[in-house]
Amino acid sequence: MRKFAFGTSVLGLAAGFMFGMGSAVSAAEPTLSEADFEEAKLLYFQRCAGCHGAERKGATGKSLEPKATQKLGQKRLEKIITLGTEGGMNNFDDIFSKEQISKLATFIQMEPPKPSEMSLEDMKKSVKIYVKPEDYVKKPMHGRNWENFFVVILRDAGKMAIIDGDTKEVLSKVDTGYAVHVTKETSDGRFWYTIGRDGKQNKIDLWMDPPQVVAESQIAYDARDIAVSHYGEWKDKYVIAGGYWPPHFVISDAVTMEPLKVVSTRGVNVDGAFVNEARVAAIYNTPKSPSWVVAVKELGQVWQVDYSDLENLRIEQMDSHKFLHDGFFDPTQKYFQIAANASNRMEFFDTTTRKFVGSLETGKMPHPGPGANWTDEKCGPVGATGHIGEGMITVWGNDPEGHPDQAWKTCYKTETDGAGLFIRTHPNTQYVFMDQPKHPEPEIQQSIQIMDKKTRKIVKTIRVTDREKSIALHGEFNADGSELWVSVWARGGKADWMNGEIVVYDTKTLEEKARIKGLETPTGKFNVYNRVHHVT
Amino acid sequence: MRKFAFGTSVLGLAAGFMFGMGSAVSAAEPTLSEADFEEAKLLYFQRCAGCHGAERKGATGKSLEPKATQKLGQKRLEKIITLGTEGGMNNFDDIFSKEQISKLATFIQMEPPKPSEMSLEDMKKSVKIYVKPEDYVKKPMHGRNWENFFVVILRDAGKMAIIDGDTKEVLSKVDTGYAVHVTKETSDGRFWYTIGRDGKQNKIDLWMDPPQVVAESQIAYDARDIAVSHYGEWKDKYVIAGGYWPPHFVISDAVTMEPLKVVSTRGVNVDGAFVNEARVAAIYNTPKSPSWVVAVKELGQVWQVDYSDLENLRIEQMDSHKFLHDGFFDPTQKYFQIAANASNRMEFFDTTTRKFVGSLETGKMPHPGPGANWTDEKCGPVGATGHIGEGMITVWGNDPEGHPDQAWKTCYKTETDGAGLFIRTHPNTQYVFMDQPKHPEPEIQQSIQIMDKKTRKIVKTIRVTDREKSIALHGEFNADGSELWVSVWARGGKADWMNGEIVVYDTKTLEEKARIKGLETPTGKFNVYNRVHHVT
């Protein structure tokens, strides 16, 4: 509203607000050649977008929009990328060259390129069938005890290893999407679905000899989690996967991997502000109802998505806190427990009433991974998480029916040497196992700590590896809980990959039993029996 | 991926898709001075965005993105704005000056400015209380038969007139948002909530003498519909209003008008493509359950939004067809009937099962407005709509329980002289009344046509006005159905406004009974008794 007058002043104001007033363009905006811009864009997507967002508005990491980065300037940005920060950002001088760091520092001072959308039609075109469903084998062809197989992420190789838990033989390494975050199974444990960081979802058949990928499709450019429908008449009918970008979830046919339905998760967060890049973190099937829980990270909401009628899709948008990450169920399979890591909280939902039921302040940045449940002598049934931000195990009551006074309240906390990612236990062991890969010191990040459920104290520390640039992480049990498998991730670049291994411990004696060698960057492991039977 | 190689080719592809390849910028992009740009932006918002969208991606009107408009060029665009199109766009030479048309033609060839967001915090700041709830009067202060009041939109004046239906006196004209589209009432009919095109929602108290606005707030920059919660314990507790921009709906406290909850409607349409500007068209309370139906125009989905728990908000996203516009309930108040005007269809939803139940091909661009239901001798209970695209009344069966063979199927069609907006009837009249304001000829757009329910034939045409630049539209009945009130909208600019009037007809004799004069651009009218008792 400058030299002219039109309409009511109310409307003038509205239009002024609506489009924003004229914005200044910096005369000295940094620039890159087209080739350098494309390179920086790719590096940013691979290594930075996960924390800072495809649109650079920030999430786990800070906002990297030009108004913020231009203030810091080229030199300071290069230093931050090179050395990392106190706030938790890694150093990148072992991953990027000096030239690449310089390009990235310039790139993040320029206007972020607008990320592309992906339509259902695009996704449908991406379907690849390697084995037709009518050609699926009718029984396990290898005669092995496949219910004790381990499905193992070989992260940086973009593969999954299938390992025989009885014999410790590596049966196959199958190609999947890049940097798989997680894999989920059909209700009988035969088929396993992976989701890559590149949004590719693959379906693996454990009955083939050797186990093999039978179908794939792509549902996003960046993604983190996947789940299968397990309830009632919809058992093993649908697969759902969540996108980081585009921010949405996609329901596909679990047989053919054909995408069927896309639902955007862009929305208004629990503070009332619109978030375009509202990403899907964790997704789980809810055993007590025909639905999945979908954690929409930046919104601070868990959406319970009912799969009983895709054309009249029912969703409960359950408010909690930001930013949601990963979660697990209580032993009754009724309550969903998930970390809101930016709020230093665990959040609790009743998936039968489809409502938020509680919130617990934990240590700094809780991260349960697949989580741990057991029964404490004083508190009754409990759940537990480790933390990315500090060396601590937080244990809470999770039995509101039997122990209402303890429910969603801290039972106790036990300190560990270093911050970690994965806490695990099993009904057949008296111990709780916690890794510590987020600690900067090699001797700690290469060790796991073991807590006694009875005394609540750390009773042993095991150095899993002492190889340079290797870290120990993620425990998983064999079917009867007599063994704990821990990954050793050799991080010294591609030439070092094959030095990765899995170390197997006896869960009674805590002695080493075996080493499974020649595994490229193993991370998460999934035992068929334990996952099918929800053993956490 | 040009001169460098990094990561897997899969990922290279993903990042390439994700951000799009380098886009060319036209060297000869048209420009405007800042003042002219601001003027054109405002004109565009007031007159063009409703059909072409705030982001200019098109909806009812065509896409006006630079790639499309630059091909047409300045001269051709000016001609289209001046004269309109065969496709249904009005001429604008009577609204804009030649200079303004030239600026608009340039503006729409430039990159659209990014529209602003509006947070819950922004909305909360906009609340204005004119009368505190504790100071509300305890009974009607004017001693009038307020249940026969008419609440009348004075569209271009940004006001509502309150008219005594018994005496035909104009009791007050109260200030509201700009170009109110609709008003909805509390369950007793005392309070009326308006929503302006500027996103302002106002609350009017009919018991005051004279009736007056008691509170307001703003929930969007552009908006169309509003509704109140009427069910069970939530009766008259919440108001919901929908935004065109930002594309969202907002639930507010119906007493204080304080916004409480914002939900984005940006989403994936029924064809599987993401739509950023997915606007909220119609919103209605569902009498049979604690919810509203929210029509998300561009998605082709009706969202049934449950208001029984705002923190665990349940929504059914019910798929139908694009683009959804306005709707009404069947006489049992169970089925919601809404126009998908771009698909030339009526869509039907069962609001008790919260599911899509049927779809009917109609004539071109159905537009029921508040709609009409009656009982046909052959088909049983029926609903009906007129059309924006042709002069026709389409009548369908809407009683799946009693007349399953007729349900959601065409019973009959009756031609009228011209395309219209509003069809109306009442149980106490044998007639159905249809307006024709979309016909280009004055003698038709100034006339309503009357169909006999028994013979299904047009039995009379009434010329409501013959004033230049005036059109006749929108019928509403008084409480006992003995009168039909029709608006005469004097469109000759602000100087002509006060020539607007309402003409009252006897619904038995079809003779004129009265003219209520001095009304600035009257359009929609809402009789308290009929709306409270769902008389359609």
Side-chain angles (χ1 to χ4, degrees):
Chain A
M1 296 285 286
R2 287 196 174 72
K3 292 180 189 166
F4 61 96
F6 190 97
T8 65
S9 64
V10 164
L11 182 62
L13 255 180
F17 278 126
M18 181 172 179
F19 289 105
M21 296 307 179
S23 68
V25 175
S26 164
E29 187 176 88
T31 54
L32 287 172
S33 73
E34 199 185 334
D36 288 347
F37 186 85
E38 291 298 318
E39 179 182 3
K41 197 168 83 175
L42 180 58
L43 296 176
Y44 180 85
F45 169 62
Q46 292 174 316
R47 300 291 179 177
C48 317
C51 289
H52 297 282
E55 294 187 319
R56 305 212 309 251
K57 289 183 191 293
T60 311
K62 288 194 177 174
S63 162
L64 298 180
E65 291 181 288
K67 62 187 173 191
T69 50
Q70 287 182 15
K71 270 185 211 154
L72 293 171
Q74 182 75 16
K75 285 257 151 69
R76 179 93 188 98
L77 291 170
E78 286 178 11
K79 200 170 169 190
I80 292 171
I81 299 169
T82 304
L83 303 177
T85 67
E86 289 287 314
M89 176 169 151
N90 296 337
N91 60 310
F92 281 89
D93 56 350
D94 57 347
I95 292 173
F96 298 144
S97 68
K98 275 197 175 177
E99 204 190 358
Q100 287 175 326
I101 288 172
S102 164
K103 287 173 193 172
L104 266 171
T106 308
F107 174 78
I108 59 175
Q109 295 175 73
M110 298 167 70
E111 275 299 317
K114 200 185 165 193
S116 302
E117 302 299 337
M118 185 185 280
S119 71
L120 182 62
E121 203 185 333
D122 297 332
M123 297 173 203
K124 282 180 187 280
K125 286 181 193 154
S126 74
V127 175
K128 287 181 191 161
I129 305 282
Y130 299 109
V131 180
K132 286 182 193 164
E134 58 268 34
D135 296 336
Y136 284 176
V137 298
K138 303 285 185 253
K139 56 176 186 182
M141 301 304 287
H142 36 57
R144 291 172 183 268
N145 176 22
W146 63 276
E147 289 186 281
N148 195 30
F149 281 5
F150 285 70
V151 182
V152 179
I153 296 167
L154 302 180
R155 191 184 181 283
D156 296 357
K159 292 176 188 288
M160 301 292 287
I162 316 299
I163 304 180
D164 185 326
D166 290 356
T167 67
K168 317 287 188 285
E169 289 167 278
V170 179
L171 303 181
S172 58
K173 293 177 181 175
V174 302
D175 286 324
T176 59
Y178 165 81
V180 163
H181 200 75
V182 116
T183 180
K184 301 277 176 71
E185 75 292 348
T186 48
S187 49
D188 62 357
R190 172 182 175 176
F191 294 103
W192 286 74
Y193 299 87
T194 63
I195 182 77
R197 278 220 28 188
D198 50 9
K200 279 202 180 172
Q201 48 183 17
N202 288 71
K203 178 183 180 181
I204 301 167
D205 183 359
L206 295 191
W207 284 9
M208 293 178 77
D209 186 16
Q212 193 175 311
V213 169
V214 292
E216 75 170 47
S217 52
Q218 188 184 11
I219 59 89
Y221 302 111
D222 189 4
R224 289 298 183 281
D225 210 347
I226 191 162
V228 185
S229 60
H230 281 185
Y231 188 89
E233 65 187 276
W234 305 275
K235 188 188 276 190
D236 303 329
K237 187 173 182 184
Y238 300 122
V239 170
I240 181 175
Y244 256 33
W245 189 270
H248 63 205
F249 61 81
V250 178
I251 301 169
S252 302
D253 183 316
V255 177
T256 63
M257 300 303 282
E258 186 190 5
L260 302 172
K261 175 101 188 173
V262 188
V263 177
S264 175
T265 51
R266 301 174 210 223
V268 175
N269 69 14
V270 287
D271 302 326
F274 175 71
V275 181
N276 194 49
E277 200 171 341
R279 306 179 294 182
V280 175
I283 309 181
Y284 301 89
N285 182 71
T286 61
K288 300 288 185 193
S289 60
S291 62
W292 299 288
V293 277
V294 174
V296 189
K297 198 179 187 72
E298 282 76 13
L299 299 189
Q301 290 178 334
V302 170
W303 290 12
Q304 190 158 344
V305 177
D306 193 302
Y307 48 68
S308 66
D309 184 350
L310 300 193
E311 290 177 355
N312 298 285
L313 195 72
R314 174 182 171 179
I315 300 175
E316 261 84 1
Q317 300 183 353
M318 303 182 288
D319 290 350
S320 61
H321 295 88
K322 298 180 297 187
F323 295 130
L324 296 169
H325 195 72
D326 56 351
F328 63 111
F329 280 86
D330 79 306
T332 69
Q333 304 293 308
K334 181 176 170 183
Y335 298 103
F336 182 60
Q337 316 171 107
I338 185 169
N341 55 27
S343 298
N344 303 324
R345 286 175 175 277
M346 289 294 300
E347 311 291 332
F348 307 102
F349 301 86
D350 183 335
T351 62
T352 60
T353 59
R354 310 186 189 206
K355 289 186 190 299
F356 171 76
V357 292
S359 180
L360 171 75
E361 280 193 65
T362 62
K364 201 175 165 193
M365 294 194 79
H367 185 283
N373 294 311
W374 67 90
T375 299
D376 180 80
E377 285 189 0
K378 288 185 188 150
C379 298
V382 293
T385 186
H387 302 76
I388 291 177
E390 61 182 311
M392 186 188 290
I393 294 170
T394 298
V395 182
W396 62 84
N398 63 7
D399 177 26
E401 284 80 11
H403 297 76
D405 293 349
Q406 307 288 339
W408 324 131
K409 289 178 189 154
T410 302
C411 172
Y412 65 93
K413 294 184 180 190
T414 295
E415 279 188 25
T416 60
D417 288 341
L421 290 172
F422 299 104
I423 186 167
R424 301 307 305 274
T425 192
H426 187 283
N428 293 346
T429 176
Q430 72 192 89
Y431 302 115
V432 175
F433 300 84
M434 184 70 219
D435 67 10
Q436 307 176 101
K438 301 306 279 183
H439 195 275
E441 296 298 325
E443 52 274 37
I444 295 175
Q445 66 179 212
Q446 294 173 344
S447 299
I448 59 168
Q449 290 205 300
I450 297 157
M451 182 178 81
D452 191 300
K453 290 177 188 173
K454 209 177 172 85
T455 65
R456 303 175 171 183
K457 290 202 165 67
I458 301 294
V459 292
K460 189 168 182 180
T461 301
I462 301 178
R463 181 84 177 251
V464 182
T465 183
D466 58 6
R467 280 195 79 257
E468 206 186 357
K469 296 197 176 175
S470 284
I471 57 171
L473 79 166
H474 193 272
E476 173 66 315
F477 299 91
N478 66 343
D480 66 12
S482 62
E483 294 173 358
L484 176 77
W485 293 30
V486 180
S487 297
V488 175
W489 181 357
R491 305 190 74 186
K494 198 165 178 175
D496 192 33
W497 279 4
M498 292 300 285
N499 292 312
E501 57 186 337
I502 289 171
V503 188
V504 180
Y505 296 94
D506 183 302
T507 56
K508 279 217 161 57
T509 65
L510 305 180
E511 297 300 320
E512 183 179 319
K513 276 183 72 173
R515 286 188 179 244
I516 305 166
K517 292 183 176 287
L519 296 172
E520 306 93 316
T521 62
T523 56
K525 299 168 295 298
F526 303 80
N527 177 271
V528 174
Y529 181 90
N530 287 334
R531 298 301 170 138
V532 167
H533 295 91
H534 307 294
V535 182
T536 49
Chain B
M1 297 285 286
R2 287 197 176 70
K3 290 179 192 169
F4 62 95
F6 190 97
T8 65
S9 64
V10 163
L11 182 62
L13 257 179
F17 277 126
M18 183 174 177
F19 289 105
M21 299 303 177
S23 67
V25 175
S26 164
E29 188 178 85
T31 55
L32 286 173
S33 72
E34 198 186 334
D36 286 347
F37 186 84
E38 291 296 320
E39 178 181 3
K41 197 168 84 175
L42 180 59
L43 295 176
Y44 180 85
F45 168 63
Q46 292 174 315
R47 301 291 178 174
C48 317
C51 288
H52 297 283
E55 294 186 319
R56 307 212 308 251
K57 288 182 190 296
T60 311
K62 289 194 176 172
S63 162
L64 297 181
E65 292 181 288
K67 62 188 172 191
T69 50
Q70 287 181 14
K71 271 184 210 155
L72 293 171
Q74 182 75 15
K75 283 260 150 69
R76 178 93 187 98
L77 291 169
E78 286 178 10
K79 199 172 167 188
I80 291 171
I81 299 168
T82 305
L83 301 176
T85 68
E86 288 288 313
M89 176 169 151
N90 297 337
N91 59 310
F92 281 89
D93 57 349
D94 57 347
I95 292 174
F96 297 144
S97 68
K98 276 195 176 179
E99 204 188 0
Q100 287 175 326
I101 288 172
S102 164
K103 289 173 192 171
L104 266 170
T106 306
F107 174 77
I108 60 176
Q109 294 175 73
M110 298 168 70
E111 275 299 318
K114 198 181 166 195
S116 303
E117 302 299 337
M118 185 186 279
S119 71
L120 182 61
E121 202 185 334
D122 296 333
M123 296 174 203
K124 281 181 188 280
K125 286 182 195 155
S126 74
V127 176
K128 288 182 191 159
I129 304 280
Y130 299 110
V131 179
K132 287 183 192 164
E134 59 266 35
D135 296 335
Y136 285 176
V137 299
K138 303 284 184 253
K139 56 176 187 180
M141 301 304 284
H142 36 55
R144 290 172 184 269
N145 175 21
W146 62 276
E147 289 186 280
N148 194 32
F149 281 6
F150 285 69
V151 182
V152 179
I153 296 168
L154 303 180
R155 189 184 182 284
D156 297 356
K159 292 176 187 288
M160 302 292 286
I162 316 300
I163 304 179
D164 183 327
D166 290 356
T167 66
K168 318 290 187 280
E169 289 166 277
V170 179
L171 304 181
S172 59
K173 292 177 181 177
V174 301
D175 286 324
T176 60
Y178 166 80
V180 164
H181 201 74
V182 114
T183 180
K184 301 277 176 69
E185 76 290 352
T186 47
S187 50
D188 63 356
R190 172 182 174 176
F191 294 103
W192 286 73
Y193 299 86
T194 63
I195 183 77
R197 282 224 21 194
D198 49 10
K200 280 202 180 170
Q201 49 184 16
N202 288 72
K203 177 182 180 182
I204 301 167
D205 183 358
L206 295 191
W207 284 10
M208 293 178 76
D209 186 16
Q212 192 176 313
V213 169
V214 291
E216 74 171 46
S217 52
Q218 188 184 9
I219 59 88
Y221 303 112
D222 190 3
R224 289 299 183 281
D225 210 348
I226 192 164
V228 185
S229 59
H230 280 184
Y231 188 88
E233 65 188 273
W234 305 276
K235 187 187 276 190
D236 303 329
K237 187 171 180 185
Y238 300 123
V239 169
I240 181 176
Y244 256 32
W245 191 270
H248 63 205
F249 62 82
V250 178
I251 301 169
S252 303
D253 183 315
V255 176
T256 63
M257 300 304 280
E258 187 189 6
L260 302 173
K261 176 101 188 172
V262 187
V263 177
S264 175
T265 52
R266 300 173 210 225
V268 176
N269 69 14
V270 289
D271 301 328
F274 174 71
V275 181
N276 193 51
E277 200 171 339
R279 307 180 293 183
V280 175
I283 309 181
Y284 300 88
N285 182 70
T286 62
K288 299 288 184 192
S289 60
S291 63
W292 298 288
V293 279
V294 175
V296 189
K297 196 177 188 74
E298 282 77 12
L299 300 189
Q301 290 178 334
V302 171
W303 291 12
Q304 191 158 344
V305 178
D306 193 302
Y307 48 67
S308 67
D309 184 350
L310 299 193
E311 289 176 358
N312 298 284
L313 195 73
R314 173 182 173 181
I315 300 175
E316 263 84 3
Q317 300 183 352
M318 304 183 287
D319 289 350
S320 60
H321 295 87
K322 298 180 298 186
F323 297 131
L324 295 169
H325 195 73
D326 56 351
F328 63 111
F329 281 87
D330 80 304
T332 70
Q333 305 292 310
K334 180 175 171 183
Y335 297 104
F336 181 60
Q337 316 170 106
I338 185 170
N341 55 29
S343 298
N344 303 323
R345 286 176 175 276
M346 288 295 299
E347 312 291 332
F348 306 102
F349 301 86
D350 182 335
T351 62
T352 60
T353 60
R354 309 185 189 207
K355 289 187 190 298
F356 171 75
V357 293
S359 180
L360 171 75
E361 282 192 63
T362 62
K364 202 174 166 194
M365 296 194 79
H367 186 285
N373 294 310
W374 67 90
T375 299
D376 180 79
E377 285 190 359
K378 289 181 188 153
C379 298
V382 292
T385 186
H387 301 76
I388 291 175
E390 60 183 311
M392 186 188 289
I393 294 169
T394 298
V395 183
W396 61 84
N398 63 8
D399 177 27
E401 285 80 11
H403 296 77
D405 294 349
Q406 306 289 338
W408 324 131
K409 288 178 188 153
T410 302
C411 172
Y412 65 92
K413 295 184 179 189
T414 296
E415 279 188 26
T416 60
D417 288 340
L421 290 172
F422 299 104
I423 188 168
R424 302 307 305 276
T425 192
H426 188 284
N428 293 347
T429 174
Q430 72 190 91
Y431 302 115
V432 174
F433 300 84
M434 184 71 218
D435 67 12
Q436 307 175 103
K438 301 305 280 186
H439 196 277
E441 295 298 323
E443 51 274 36
I444 295 176
Q445 66 179 210
Q446 293 173 343
S447 299
I448 59 168
Q449 289 205 300
I450 298 156
M451 183 178 80
D452 190 300
K453 291 176 187 173
K454 206 177 174 88
T455 65
R456 303 174 171 184
K457 290 202 165 68
I458 301 294
V459 292
K460 189 169 182 181
T461 302
I462 300 178
R463 182 84 177 251
V464 182
T465 183
D466 57 6
R467 279 195 80 256
E468 206 187 356
K469 296 194 176 176
S470 286
I471 57 172
L473 80 165
H474 193 273
E476 173 66 314
F477 299 90
N478 66 342
D480 65 11
S482 62
E483 294 173 358
L484 176 77
W485 293 31
V486 179
S487 297
V488 174
W489 181 357
R491 306 188 76 185
K494 198 165 178 177
D496 191 34
W497 279 3
M498 291 301 285
N499 291 313
E501 57 185 337
I502 289 171
V503 187
V504 179
Y505 296 94
D506 183 303
T507 56
K508 279 216 162 61
T509 65
L510 304 181
E511 297 299 319
E512 183 180 318
K513 276 183 73 174
R515 288 189 177 240
I516 305 166
K517 292 181 176 286
L519 296 172
E520 306 92 316
T521 62
T523 56
K525 299 168 295 297
F526 303 80
N527 177 270
V528 174
Y529 180 91
N530 288 333
R531 299 300 170 137
V532 167
H533 296 90
H534 308 294
V535 180
T536 50

